[in-house]
Every structure is written in C-alpha cells, then in structure tokens.
Amino acid sequence: MIGAKYMAKYLLVAASLTLAACASGTDPQIGPDGKPLPQLYKISPRDAQEIPARVLEAVNALRGARGTAPVALNEALTAAAARHSRDMAAQNRPWHWGSDGSSPVDRARQAGYIGKLVGENISETYETETETLSAWMALADTRDVILNPSVTQMGFAWYQEPSGKIWWTMVTGD
C-alpha cells in the first residue's frame, strides 16, 4: 500500500510532468500529421548543471510513490550514458548498440562500473528531460528500468546537437 506522503509526491511529479509537457507560452505549430511540431529546447549551461538533480528528484519521487527505495547518481554510469548519447548522435539513430559494437553492459564496464547493469533507456527528441522521463514512464519496458526495485544507482546524460536535437540516455544498476 502506498503511503500518503509518497502518493502526494507521486501526484506532484505527475502534475509537473503533465504541466511541463503542456506549458510552452505559445500555441504549438501543427505538422502535416496533425501533431504539434517539436519545440526547440536549448540546454543552457545553467540547465546542464541542474538537469541531473531534477531528474534524480523526479525518479526518486516516482519510485517513492511505488514504495521503492531511492537511487543515487553514479559517476561511472553517467559517463557510460554520456558516451552513448554522443555515439547515438554520431550514428544518427537511437538504439542500444554502440558504433563499436558495445552493449550497455560493455559501456558500463569500460566506464569503471563494478555493479550489475539493470537497464538502459534512450531517446532521440527535442523534448526536455521532464518530457522524456514522462514518455519513458508511459511505456512498460522503459518504466521498468526506472522503477525496478533492485536498482540502487543511476547514470543520466545527454548530447545536444547544434540543431537542438537531444539524445538522452539513462542507465541503471545495482
């Protein structure tokens, strides 16, 4: 059973994710498919310093709402995530294999992670980290990477192309 404290945090995070997806200040332009065109989210140096803490806080609130222990940021997992974000951009495709044939486990080991890799979430988008986290939470397989009870550590990184496209990577381990 979810405690009232965690339910309140969960509802706050859910509302924040929803509002972040809706709040843009201007009406979105609609593409030929009838869907809103992506909005450019340029990551400033200040944003770059704040994003990891914001994502960690949101992930831990979501985990807490499920009665799952919080995670901590791990430098090695973050390095593996950063490497993969840059590599996906170089390959121009979101997938879990590196251009050198590396798997998520290979990249975590090469970055010095000694724990067990549990999962990896990736995204190619123009959306914010909050919108990306919301999209991951909407799908069972990526949600499981975030909420898996065995996870104790997380790495989170991105690479933003000059065009504004962002390649997000989250890696989790125990």
Side-chain angles (χ1 to χ4, degrees), residues 6 10 12 40 45 48 54-56 69 74 89 95 120 135 146 156 164:
Y6 291 114
Y10 174 76
L12 180 62
L40 180 62
R54 288 195 303 244
V55 171
L56 180 65
N74 178 282
W95 74 326
E120 178 181 74
I146 297 165
F156 185 79

Side-chain angles (χ1 to χ4, degrees), residues 98 101 105:
V105 171

Side-chain angles (χ1 to χ4, degrees), residues 78-93 95 107 120-123 136 156-161 165-171:
T78 295
R83 172 183 168 191
H84 193 54
S85 291
R86 284 188 171 276
D87 192 47
M88 286 189 298
Q91 295 180 70
N92 196 33
R93 64 177 168 178
W95 74 326
R107 290 187 295 275
E120 178 181 74
N121 286 339
I122 57 173
S123 180
W136 287 337
F156 185 79
W158 64 91
Y159 174 74
Q160 185 165 36
E161 296 179 0
K165 184 188 293 183
I166 308 169
W167 302 84
W168 300 103
T169 306
M170 173 188 283
V171 186

Side-chain angles (χ1 to χ4, degrees), residues 8-40:
K9 283 185 180 181
Y10 174 76
L11 292 174
L12 180 62
V13 169
S16 296
L17 293 174
T18 302
L19 289 174
C22 296
S24 66
T26 61
D27 291 334
Q29 294 180 333
I30 304 299
D33 60 357
K35 295 181 180 177
L37 293 174
Q39 298 289 318
L40 180 62

Side-chain angles (χ1 to χ4, degrees), residues 133-169:
L133 181 58
S134 180
W136 287 337
M137 288 299 292
L139 299 172
D141 59 339
T142 51
R143 181 176 52 245
D144 290 346
V145 170
I146 297 165
L147 300 179
N148 186 315
S150 71
V151 168
T152 60
Q153 299 177 345
M154 174 184 88
F156 185 79
W158 64 91
Y159 174 74
Q160 185 165 36
E161 296 179 0
S163 69
K165 184 188 293 183
I166 308 169
W167 302 84
W168 300 103
T169 306

Side-chain angles (χ1 to χ4, degrees), residues 55-74:
V55 171
L56 180 65
E57 182 178 354
V59 165
N60 282 334
L62 292 164
R63 290 174 62 83
R66 291 278 179 103
T68 307
V71 297
L73 283 174
N74 178 282

